[in-house]
Amino acid sequence: MKRITDNIYYVGVNDRNKTLFEGLWPLPYGVSYNAYLIDDEKTCLIDTVEVDFFMPFIENIHQVLGDRPLDYVVVNHMEPDHSGSLALLRKYYPEVQIIGNKKTFDMMGGFYHLTDGLHEVKNGDTLSLGARQLQFVLTPMVHWPETMMTLATPQDPSIKSQILFSGDAFGCFGALNGAIIDEQMNCDDFWPEMERYYSNIVGKYGTPVQMALKKLSGVAVDYICATHGPVWHEHVAKVIALYDRLSRYEAQPGLVICYGTMYGNTERAAEVIAEAAAEAGVKNIIMHNVSKTHHSYIIRDVFRYRGLIVGAPTYNTGLYHEMNVLMDELSQKDIKGRLFGFFGSFSWASKAVSELQRWNDERLHYEQVGQPVEIRQALTADTTAQCEALGRAMAERLLKVEG
């Protein structure tokens, strides 16, 4: 338990043991499950934590409340890493009122069989706690249909800070190492993890994120209390700007080259392409082996940079498996405005290049740059020259876009 400001307390927990978030995304630095307690005339908990961490969570609450009752719990998001402790919480505080919207309660009955003591709110509704008033902002599809945010505004002149409890929005991977608020820590490790979190968890829903940002425009926020990662105070403007950029699919200058390879021939082609692009003036080039780098990092970098060149061998008369998976993942993210080049190799049956063409034509719809390169068995003088041409073509197009 830690005090954030005024009568707002952090009562969340860290998970340093989970290796994959949602069974999918690596957690090299762990993850936090953040919950917050408002100690006012009426006491209010904002979100809960994953049920495995219930005992340290309830101890944190008791440190603030002692023997006093808990009046409300706000459920901003129904994913079990945030709502999983609701049923147990009710055993400790049987009179607590659960606050959510209609879609929240549609899910809650299915997950936890909780159907009574519910207080439904609509967009813009308010609830007075005493010194603070809560206002509920519905933000559907950021990134589930029931998601909402809660704005805590002062009603007492002695309280100045305005707090946004944002749910999963503005969150990131990474456990909290002692400090809770950004100004009390070095945030360098959190920025790339925020981009990776957004790209893989929220990334498909750029339009709903933009709608949520518009609802919040003009609201002065002193603290953003997300359900994962630091409490943002010093960097509130930077965090909002990052979400705005990512949700508009605005790319930075640069090129991602990702490839699959079995015996090194496709990898050698990727190296030739990268060298040509660098010589033509592209400074930000990132290369990923799709069989070695977890795809969440590749997807993060595709969100970050405008250029994308992919290459893979033919495998079992189809596209190399890991590249096929990556293409499917990228198509689901609905990333817009990227420049796309591709190449492939084969030993006895050509398929990779035509499959990559199909992925772009049918699902990705990126602007195709340069001529695809098809390599039979190994690089020759001709295919090496074609790879160089592909790298140069991408560089020229990128430099033209960036002006």
Side-chain angles (χ1 to χ4, degrees), residues 256-260 286-294 297-302 323:
V256 179
I257 301 174
C258 53
Y259 62 88
I286 293 183
M287 299 184 68
H288 291 297
N289 182 329
V290 293
S291 298
K292 182 178 180 181
T293 303
H294 192 275
Y297 295 93
I298 301 174
I299 292 168
R300 177 196 64 191
D301 290 338
V302 174
M323 182 58 71

Side-chain angles (χ1 to χ4, degrees), residues 64-299:
V64 180
L65 294 185
D67 294 330
R68 288 174 294 151
L70 178 64
D71 296 300
Y72 302 108
V73 55
V74 173
V75 182
N76 281 324
H77 185 24
M78 271 300 298
E79 274 195 286
D81 55 335
H82 307 303
S83 67
S85 292
L86 281 172
L88 277 175
L89 186 73
R90 262 283 174 82
K91 294 183 182 299
Y92 282 75
Y93 298 103
E95 303 302 318
V96 68
Q97 293 286 300
I98 302 176
I99 299 174
N101 57 69
K102 183 181 184 304
K103 291 180 179 178
T104 305
F105 297 143
D106 289 345
M107 294 183 182
M108 193 175 296
F111 272 116
Y112 310 119
H113 312 295
L114 295 172
T115 57
D116 61 343
L118 309 181
H119 180 91
E120 183 180 331
V121 295
K122 297 180 174 62
N123 186 63
D125 284 356
T126 60
L127 175 69
S128 177
L129 301 179
R132 287 188 182 274
Q133 175 179 270
L134 303 183
Q135 181 176 4
F136 305 100
V137 182
L138 271 59
T139 56
M141 297 316 303
V142 185
H143 53 116
W144 275 25
E146 88 302 348
T147 52
M148 68 181 193
M149 302 183 190
T150 302
L151 187 65
T153 60
Q155 295 191 120
D156 184 324
S158 66
I159 293 179
K160 305 298 182 183
S161 58
Q162 188 150 255
I163 316 294
L164 179 67
F165 299 100
S166 62
D168 271 354
F170 309 116
C172 62
F173 297 131
L176 300 172
N177 301 322
I180 301 298
I181 305 173
D182 60 354
E183 64 189 359
Q184 300 169 353
M185 65 179 76
N186 185 331
C187 292
D188 289 351
D189 288 337
F190 286 108
W191 299 120
E193 287 296 86
M194 174 176 268
E195 288 189 271
R196 189 165 68 93
Y197 179 92
Y198 178 92
S199 302
N200 291 276
I201 305 294
V202 187
K204 179 181 178 68
Y205 305 104
T207 299
V209 170
Q210 281 291 306
M211 293 174 66
L213 291 173
K214 287 178 182 177
K215 286 184 177 181
L216 296 169
S217 64
V219 177
V221 174
D222 299 299
Y223 294 84
I224 295 178
C225 296
T227 46
H228 297 292
V231 169
W232 303 110
H233 179 48
E234 180 182 4
H235 297 300
V236 164
K238 179 176 179 177
V239 166
I240 293 174
L242 188 149
Y243 257 62
D244 182 42
R245 174 176 63 81
L246 290 172
S247 60
R248 287 186 286 107
Y249 305 101
E250 181 181 304
Q252 301 176 40
L255 171 62
V256 179
I257 301 174
C258 53
Y259 62 88
T261 192
M262 289 186 287
Y263 303 112
N265 292 301
T266 316
E267 183 174 57
R268 282 187 279 276
E271 297 283 4
V272 172
I273 293 167
E275 184 176 345
E279 289 177 351
V282 180
K283 294 182 179 180
N284 295 321
I285 300 176
I286 293 183
M287 299 184 68
H288 291 297
N289 182 329
V290 293
S291 298
K292 182 178 180 181
T293 303
H294 192 275
H295 293 185
S296 65
Y297 295 93
I298 301 174
I299 292 168

Side-chain angles (χ1 to χ4, degrees), residues 33 48-55 80-86 88:
Y33 308 123
T48 72
V49 303
E50 191 168 281
V51 68
D52 291 350
F53 295 85
F54 180 77
M55 290 313 299
D81 55 335
H82 307 303
S83 67
S85 292
L86 281 172
L88 277 175

